[in-house]
Amino acid sequence: MQIEHAELSLLGNREENQDRVALAADDGAAFIAVVDGMGGHSDGARAAEAAIRTMLSEFSEASRPLFDPDGLLHLTMGRAHEAVVALGRGVPPESRPRATCAVCLVQGSSAFWAHVGDSRIYLVRSGRVAERTRDHSHVELLLRTGRITEGQAHDHPMRNYVESCLGGDPALPEMTLGGRRTLMSGDVLLLCSDGLWSGVTEAQIGALAGARDRSLTDALAELGASAVQATAPFADNTTVAALRWLGP
């Protein structure tokens, strides 16, 4: 499996970076995760750290080749949820640590992904966004039902409210599994927190797959800087990980 990957996490205009990002690759499989500790709740950074460590541990312990990638993603996010819930034991419900999350597995020429909340996954192909995940939010519902446009969604007063997340209540949250996608040479998988996607356009994200003469590291640095600049002086933590699939 030939891949190029890069990751970036910027503070933005916040006092603390509550995002976490990780990418691990071995034995023909790669795992990518972005976790956004929810700043409106206490210990957002601890929630994100607990979730990312738990998921990396689950990936490292899974046998290769991965027999059931979708099942592993569901199990991994469930374990991450339990880890974040444990941080909030004895804490009032409104103050318990929480986080949103996006994860992706790549094995061979296949990609599998899952998410909860408004951390997103984009599949970028031939210079455009071919697919993206749909947020667990009221604003996303308004968008999907045609009641608002993409432009209105970016500025909607409820854009930061999510309806599902890791942590908080012990019950397993709503998680969306994307199923299997067959990758083509040059495809880019991009995972990000809302600090990134709220400050850039899909055209800017799509350009990642069309810039094969540039490293992903340079491309992400430019994309992240654009997002922070566009949303300043209120820029959120801005985190992104990308993997370019080059072939088996």
Side-chain angles (χ1 to χ4, degrees), residues 197-216:
W197 61 254
S198 64
V200 296
T201 66
E202 286 202 354
Q204 288 174 287
I205 294 174
L208 287 174
R212 297 186 64 171
D213 56 332
R214 297 180 60 205
S215 71
L216 277 180

Side-chain angles (χ1 to χ4, degrees), residues 73-94:
L73 286 174
H74 191 271
L75 172 67
T76 295
M77 292 183 69
R79 293 278 168 80
H81 171 67
E82 292 171 357
V84 179
V85 167
L87 294 177
R89 290 198 179 108
V91 177
E94 66 276 7

Side-chain angles (χ1 to χ4, degrees), residues 46-121:
R46 288 179 63 218
E49 186 68 26
I52 208 86
R53 288 184 179 276
T54 299
M55 292 189 291
L56 282 172
S57 177
E58 292 294 330
F59 172 72
S60 68
E61 293 175 5
S63 60
R64 307 290 192 272
L66 302 173
F67 176 71
D68 180 11
D70 276 330
L72 178 61
L73 286 174
H74 191 271
L75 172 67
T76 295
M77 292 183 69
R79 293 278 168 80
H81 171 67
E82 292 171 357
V84 179
V85 167
L87 294 177
R89 290 198 179 108
V91 177
E94 66 276 7
S95 300
R96 291 171 184 167
R98 292 171 169 83
T100 68
C101 179
V103 294
C104 183
L105 285 169
V106 177
Q107 181 171 253
S109 60
S110 299
F112 305 82
W113 61 65
H115 80 287
V116 58
D118 61 359
S119 290
R120 289 184 180 178
I121 303 161

Side-chain angles (χ1 to χ4, degrees), residues 221-234:
E222 181 178 326
L223 195 65
S226 294
V228 170
Q229 182 177 8
T231 53
F234 307 107

Side-chain angles (χ1 to χ4, degrees), residues 167-233:
D169 297 329
L172 198 65
E174 178 185 358
M175 299 182 290
T176 299
L177 297 171
R180 178 178 178 272
R181 299 293 188 282
T182 300
L183 298 173
M184 299 174 59
S185 181
D187 281 357
V188 173
L189 293 160
L190 181 142
L191 286 68
C192 64
S193 62
D194 63 328
L196 187 283
W197 61 254
S198 64
V200 296
T201 66
E202 286 202 354
Q204 288 174 287
I205 294 174
L208 287 174
R212 297 186 64 171
D213 56 332
R214 297 180 60 205
S215 71
L216 277 180
T217 298
D218 290 343
L220 290 193
E222 181 178 326
L223 195 65
S226 294
V228 170
Q229 182 177 8
T231 53

